[in-house]
Amino acid sequence: MHYIDAFNHFFPKALWQRIQQLDGAGKDIGRRMQGIPCIHDLEARFRVMDEFKDYTQILSLGMPPLEAMGGPELSTEFAKLGNDGLAELVEKHPDRFAGFVAALPMNAPEAAVREAERAFTELGANGLQIHTNVNGAPLDEERFFPIFEAAARHGKPVLLHPSRNSSMPDYATEDKSKYEIWWTFGWPYETSVAMARLVFSGFMDRLPGLKVLAHHMGAMVPYFEGRVGPGWDQLGKRTSDEDLSLVLKRLKKRPLDYFKDFYADTAVFGSRAATLCGLEFYGSDRILFASDSPFDPEKGPGYIRDTLKILNTLDLPKADLEKICFRNAEALFGLSAH
């Protein structure tokens, strides 16, 4: 079996070194990532990858979002450094890295569109990584529409990565989230909210060719199919201060059908139950193998190994397993077929 890991993270050298010069977010990411060598050390990355046979990766930058590290000028600089570095890695090591998804300065939407175009036309990017909010702003604000439009025009996917931190409290009476709840439950919620906003805003209707991959097996959506389906079929029944039934009339399809149109990945940290739930919801045509490496307790190989173990013990026809392991990635990212 061939494996294409569709969602994992790496910082190319030039961007990594530039980030270390930052105060604030730069220092924070430095402290966190210094202890994970294969997020930025290429030789360490190769050693992890060598543990797995016939295994390649689609690269994307790690956290935090570029726009969280500085203003528009800085995030634009970082995006160019990051995308140039990822493209170079793919060019130099095609046997290791099957492709990359570009990062954008989302706090400068016009510059983000230009960078997306440059990444697609000059660097050969295979998609875009966009976080689920832009410094707290929702993705369905009209200023971000041209970015999604660029992806659809080039036939490349948008990979949704959750973004939330402890500054978003879990209770209105508190000023921060405790116990890393912002990550454990907050990130799946973030992704689900972003998916819903793309649906109900009409973005998906306006861009019928848009392909969106929701990280971590489509977040909360598969488990909450009953709420997303029959629940949202009754949109407006729980709201008295506005007529939300008009939203349903405006949409071209049932809400559940839009959520079925998303792609999802297997990065669920080794949970067989979550994998089975997602597979039941999305089907083998819309799920891609991904590990979220290198954020496992072993700092690289753990989530890859755990995810492959689950995939290889699923009772699936070979053709369906091939779709999940590599064929869907080839089709979605525009890669040469095996």
Side-chain angles (χ1 to χ4, degrees):
M1 185 65 68
H2 179 57
Y3 301 98
I4 300 176
D5 191 335
F7 222 142
N8 57 89
H9 305 291
F10 189 80
F11 286 98
K13 185 176 181 179
L15 177 59
W16 177 255
Q17 291 177 338
R18 179 69 179 87
I19 289 174
Q20 306 312 304
Q21 301 169 9
L22 286 183
D23 292 326
K27 285 188 175 179
D28 290 342
I29 192 175
R31 279 196 300 270
R32 180 188 178 199
M33 300 298 183
Q34 290 289 359
I36 308 175
C38 78
I39 192 71
H40 63 90
D41 183 322
L42 196 58
E43 292 306 313
R45 185 64 156 228
F46 288 164
R47 285 194 295 273
V48 167
M49 296 178 72
D50 284 342
E51 296 187 28
F52 307 96
K53 185 178 179 182
D54 207 358
Y55 168 83
T56 59
Q57 297 180 333
I58 303 288
L59 294 174
S60 53
L61 295 183
M63 290 288 285
L66 300 182
E67 58 269 13
M69 289 193 277
E73 185 175 336
L74 195 64
S75 64
T76 301
E77 175 197 347
F78 284 177
K80 290 179 178 178
L81 278 175
N83 295 333
D84 286 347
L86 293 178
E88 183 181 6
L89 287 169
V90 172
E91 183 179 7
K92 285 186 175 180
H93 307 284
D95 57 325
R96 301 278 193 176
F97 306 124
F100 79 100
V101 292
L104 301 178
M106 293 294 289
N107 54 347
E110 292 181 3
V113 173
R114 290 194 296 271
E115 182 59 18
E117 290 286 347
R118 186 182 81 92
F120 290 142
T121 60
E122 298 180 23
L123 302 180
N126 302 92
L128 304 175
Q129 176 175 244
I130 294 178
H131 292 81
T132 50
N133 67 77
V134 180
N135 290 336
L139 294 180
D140 61 326
E141 288 189 3
E142 193 61 28
R143 61 188 171 130
F144 302 129
F145 182 79
I147 299 167
F148 290 93
E149 191 175 35
R153 184 168 59 251
H154 286 275
K156 301 299 184 183
V158 170
L159 275 59
L160 274 183
H161 192 290
S163 178
R164 188 184 182 102
N165 57 40
S166 63
S167 67
M168 298 184 73
D170 307 306
Y171 292 92
T173 59
E174 298 179 342
D175 58 7
K176 65 177 292 187
S177 174
K178 294 184 177 182
Y179 313 117
E180 297 182 355
I181 293 170
W182 59 268
W183 179 88
T184 305
F185 297 127
W187 277 23
Y189 176 76
E190 268 286 332
T191 305
S192 305
V193 168
M195 295 165 73
R197 294 291 289 254
L198 292 176
V199 169
F200 289 111
S201 67
F203 270 35
M204 307 293 277
D205 279 338
R206 293 166 66 186
L207 296 171
L210 179 65
K211 303 179 182 73
V212 181
L213 186 154
H215 203 11
H216 307 307
M217 197 56 89
M220 298 164 61
V221 172
Y223 185 78
F224 291 105
E225 180 178 5
R227 289 176 176 268
V228 174
W232 253 328
D233 288 342
Q234 305 173 70
L235 180 63
K237 295 291 178 62
R238 310 163 194 87
T239 304
S240 59
D241 60 345
E242 58 179 320
D243 186 1
L244 292 178
S245 68
L246 299 176
V247 176
L248 291 181
K249 294 175 182 177
R250 188 172 66 240
L251 294 177
K252 295 180 180 179
K253 296 187 293 189
R254 183 186 180 198
L256 180 65
D257 293 337
Y258 290 97
F259 287 91
K260 291 272 191 178
D261 284 342
F262 284 83
Y263 291 80
D265 66 43
T266 64
V268 290
F269 313 118
S271 170
R272 183 181 178 83
T275 303
L276 292 172
C277 183
L279 184 60
E280 177 74 19
F281 183 83
Y282 289 106
S284 59
D285 288 336
R286 290 192 171 264
I287 295 177
L288 283 68
F289 160 57
S291 67
D292 206 21
S293 180
F295 298 117
D296 56 275
E298 298 174 44
K299 303 174 183 178
Y303 288 155
I304 302 173
R305 184 179 58 251
D306 293 346
T307 305
L308 291 179
K309 181 180 179 180
I310 291 171
L311 289 178
N312 289 318
T313 56
L314 293 177
D315 186 20
L316 290 176
K318 183 180 178 183
D320 287 344
L321 188 59
E322 286 184 348
K323 288 178 184 178
I324 295 169
C325 290
F326 69 97
R327 295 199 188 280
N328 291 343
E330 289 174 343
L332 189 63
F333 293 116
L335 308 174
S336 299
H338 274 71

